[in-house]
Amino acid sequence: MTCVKKKAEAKGFTSKPSTSCCPAGKLRGFTTRIIGDIPAATSEDVDIAVKAARKALKRNGGKDWATASGAHRAKYLRAIAAKITEKKPELAKLEAIDNGKPLDEAAWDIDDVAGCFEYNADLAEALDAKQNAPIDLPMDTFKCHVIREPIGVVGLITPWNYPMLMATWKIAPALAAGCAAILKPSELASVTCLELGEICREVGLPPGILNILTGLGPEAGAPLASHPDVDKIAFTGSSATGSKIMTAAAQNVKPVTLELGGKSPIVVFDDVDIDKAVEWTLFGCFWTNGQICSATSRLIVHESIAKEFLEKLVKWAKNIKISDPLEEGCRLGPVVSGGQYEKILKFVETAKSEGATISFGGKRPEHLKTGFFIEPTIISDVTTSMQIWREEVFGPVLCVKSFKTEEEAIELANDTHYGLGSAVISNDLDRCDRVTRAFEAGIVWVNCSQPCFSQAPWGGKKRSGFGRELGEWGLENYLSVKQVTRYISDDAWVVGLDCNRLNLLKWEFNEI
């Protein structure tokens, strides 16, 4: 992990982290050693970044970026993607060290980062053809068209579970739309976001278009959310913090996009290949060390196969390799911080005290004496009133409950304040379609869990937030639509008035 230290340098891009040590810093999850420090931005730094972004949008009358063609901006996005691909080994290693996820997963994330920039470059080019799109009107004396404009300066606040990727989900469409962005990544894992800033500098992105401020939420994130000259906030993180951001943004009536927490269900029916379903269930919950907002962490399995299913879950979970994330074959690394480690263990203890059964895990692996490691945890005999059923753990913890009927399965799946992801596994595709339509969630996976593509919309409902990222919907987050209507007739514009009455009105106005 990195340590938050010293004042940020908000000059278009924040400086790279140094390697000096700070006793109060966050520790690397595997070695519990500090790997470096990062700048700690203040509200003054936020002001500097906002001014830099505003200046960048207005430079050369906006022609450098905001009003340039989408094709012009696409060249930069593709250059960024190419540089990320070139530096993939270095970036993946930094992500694994800073975040704790297995190196293989970090490498896949970097591939997705490059792919997201490439995809948004395509969207930027396609935007040119959509400009000045005509609108059909019921009167032939008028013509109307729409202009799509960048919304302006956007504040982007991102989490630590996918540090570079979650930042890219926001940065790439914001830049494609012509916005200037200010990124505040999580203080728990910021290193690759700073590297992204350096990459943008290397490819010649105009100064001030992307500004990166590392630091703590109250000192950097809150001033960014409430800043009067920031036109929009996009946030990914907890529901509690999302509520605070909404409150801050409301003071200036600025739009927000929120991708918040989840307690997603995976419903498994009795007509499945149990081995395949077990594999998807484990992947859906323990991927990214279980630290993923869309984790399908509530298994709802048909009672006729529940016993066999649970036995195989435990058997396979025992074989998951837990190790240094840089070690070949690692499938579960340390969680991100000591605080997160203690929080997860407390969830497990509360489940035990409420009467649930820890079928496997819930503690430190015996072969790892140090580090923030937790075994993949499977909790059975769960009731719907238990904390483990209702609250997001954000760790490698799966709770299990059985059902009898399709109607009961749907009711259990929707028994949550959240509505981000959901999954159904069944060989009956008609049933899958019924369940898909009944799920109260923004994302449904059928016979799988957790696939994510840049082309498909991502987002939730209820306390999982609102708005969509990725796909064309992600770009629309950062665009403002302007209506332009022109009167094209040579006739005088008179509605409901004869000429004598019109002359009388003109005379009255002149008298006034």
Side-chain angles (χ1 to χ4, degrees):
M1 302 306 161
T2 48
C3 165
V4 181
K5 186 180 180 184
K6 74 185 180 182
K7 188 175 182 180
E9 299 172 15
K11 299 177 181 177
F13 301 109
T14 306
S15 59
K16 281 189 175 182
S18 74
T19 55
S20 62
C21 179
C22 173
K26 297 297 179 182
L27 310 175
R28 183 182 170 199
F30 172 58
T31 64
T32 69
R33 292 200 303 265
I34 294 169
I35 63 169
D37 63 78
I38 57 174
T42 64
S43 59
E44 289 81 6
D45 296 306
V46 173
D47 285 337
I48 295 170
V50 172
K51 289 176 182 176
R54 284 276 169 212
K55 182 179 179 181
L57 287 183
K58 295 179 180 178
R59 188 183 300 119
N60 194 21
K63 295 179 181 179
D64 285 0
W65 195 257
T67 62
S69 68
H72 174 79
R73 296 192 291 267
K75 293 178 183 178
Y76 289 96
L77 295 178
R78 291 203 173 95
I80 293 168
K83 187 65 69 172
I84 287 167
T85 299
E86 176 188 323
K87 295 188 173 184
K88 174 184 170 180
E90 172 192 347
L91 294 170
K93 186 175 181 179
L94 283 173
E95 199 81 298
I97 291 171
D98 198 20
N99 169 274
K101 66 173 59 188
L103 181 60
D104 286 345
E105 292 185 22
W108 297 333
D109 288 355
I110 302 306
D111 285 337
D112 287 347
V113 168
C116 192
F117 274 106
E118 284 282 359
Y119 174 70
N120 278 277
D122 293 342
L123 291 184
E125 287 180 334
L127 187 61
D128 290 338
K130 296 179 180 179
Q131 293 291 17
N132 303 315
I135 303 295
D136 290 333
L137 299 177
M139 299 179 68
D140 59 7
T141 51
F142 293 91
K143 279 192 174 181
C144 181
H145 67 272
V146 294
I147 301 172
R148 290 171 170 84
E149 299 177 329
I151 203 167
V153 173
V154 295
L156 314 175
I157 303 175
T158 55
W160 44 260
N161 56 335
Y162 288 85
M164 196 176 194
L165 184 57
M166 291 295 97
T168 297
W169 279 18
K170 294 172 172 53
I171 291 171
L175 298 190
C179 293
I182 301 162
L183 172 69
K184 208 299 281 184
S186 169
E187 65 273 15
L188 295 179
S190 302
V191 170
T192 52
C193 289
L194 292 173
E195 291 297 320
L196 178 58
E198 293 298 323
I199 286 172
C200 290
R201 195 202 302 269
E202 287 178 31
V203 303
L205 188 71
I209 293 301
L210 176 62
N211 307 272
I212 300 174
L213 294 174
T214 56
L216 303 172
E219 287 78 21
L224 181 60
S226 62
H227 201 288
D229 289 328
V230 171
D231 299 301
K232 176 189 171 66
I233 295 291
F235 170 76
T236 297
S238 72
S239 297
T241 303
S243 179
K244 293 178 181 177
I245 286 174
M246 280 187 69
T247 300
Q251 307 310 306
N252 295 299
V253 199
K254 72 179 67 174
V256 296
T257 301
L258 300 177
E259 202 267 80
L260 308 178
K263 192 70 176 176
S264 302
I266 180 167
V267 176
V268 180
F269 286 91
D270 56 350
D271 61 347
V272 300
D273 179 319
I274 290 181
D275 286 349
K276 290 181 179 178
V278 166
E279 183 176 16
W280 277 116
T281 300
L282 292 172
F283 181 83
C285 187
F286 300 145
W287 173 252
T288 311
N289 301 338
Q291 299 168 129
I292 177 171
C293 52
S294 61
T296 41
S297 59
R298 290 186 299 135
L299 169 61
I300 302 167
V301 58
H302 194 274
E303 62 179 11
S304 66
I305 62 170
K307 184 175 183 294
E308 180 184 1
F309 204 93
L310 181 60
E311 288 173 352
K312 288 197 173 185
L313 277 175
V314 171
K315 179 182 177 181
W316 288 25
K318 288 179 179 178
N319 292 324
I320 293 174
K321 182 174 180 178
I322 313 170
S323 68
D324 178 348
L326 300 184
E327 189 174 311
E328 185 176 355
C330 173
R331 288 295 173 262
L332 202 70
V335 298
V336 73
S337 67
Q340 190 67 13
Y341 176 80
E342 295 298 332
K343 176 186 173 184
I344 295 167
L345 292 181
K346 187 175 181 180
F347 266 105
V348 175
E349 288 303 312
T350 299
K352 288 169 61 176
S353 69
E354 291 181 338
T357 300
I358 311 303
S359 296
F360 179 71
K363 62 184 188 301
R364 173 188 297 280
E366 292 182 1
H367 68 287
L368 294 166
K369 304 304 180 184
T370 61
F372 306 136
F373 291 94
I374 299 175
E375 290 179 323
T377 302
I378 300 169
I379 302 178
S380 56
D381 299 319
V382 172
T383 67
T384 58
S385 63
M386 291 180 179
Q387 181 196 48
I388 199 66
W389 176 266
R390 309 216 66 83
E391 296 185 23
E392 183 179 37
V393 177
F394 223 69
V397 179
L398 175 71
C399 64
V400 184
K401 188 167 178 55
S402 64
F403 69 92
K404 294 181 180 180
T405 67
E406 181 179 315
E407 292 73 21
E408 182 187 6
I410 292 169
E411 182 178 353
L412 289 169
N414 291 335
D415 182 32
T416 173
H417 294 303
Y418 296 104
L420 183 55
S422 58
V424 54
I425 300 183
S426 171
N427 287 327
D428 184 338
L429 294 184
D430 288 336
R431 171 192 281 155
C432 289
D433 186 61
R434 291 193 302 272
V435 172
T436 292
R437 294 176 183 276
F439 279 159
E440 297 170 355
I443 304 161
V444 181
W445 295 295
V446 177
N447 291 329
C448 58
S449 180
Q450 304 308 318
C452 178
F453 301 94
S454 294
Q455 296 79 7
W458 183 277
K461 56 198 302 186
K462 300 195 280 190
R463 293 188 189 175
S464 289
F466 51 84
R468 293 294 181 267
E469 295 189 299
L470 302 182
E472 295 183 8
W473 301 267
L475 180 66
E476 289 170 1
N477 281 330
Y478 302 98
L479 290 171
S480 177
V481 177
K482 178 182 288 183
Q483 175 208 140
V484 181
T485 300
R486 181 164 59 96
Y487 184 59
I488 61 173
S489 173
D490 292 331
D491 296 336
W493 176 241
V494 181
V495 180
L497 293 173
D498 58 34
C499 291
N500 290 332
R501 178 58 180 158
L502 181 61
N503 290 330
L504 177 62
L505 286 174
K506 289 180 179 177
W507 178 83
E508 290 174 346
F509 290 143
N510 288 334
E511 286 294 302
I512 292 171

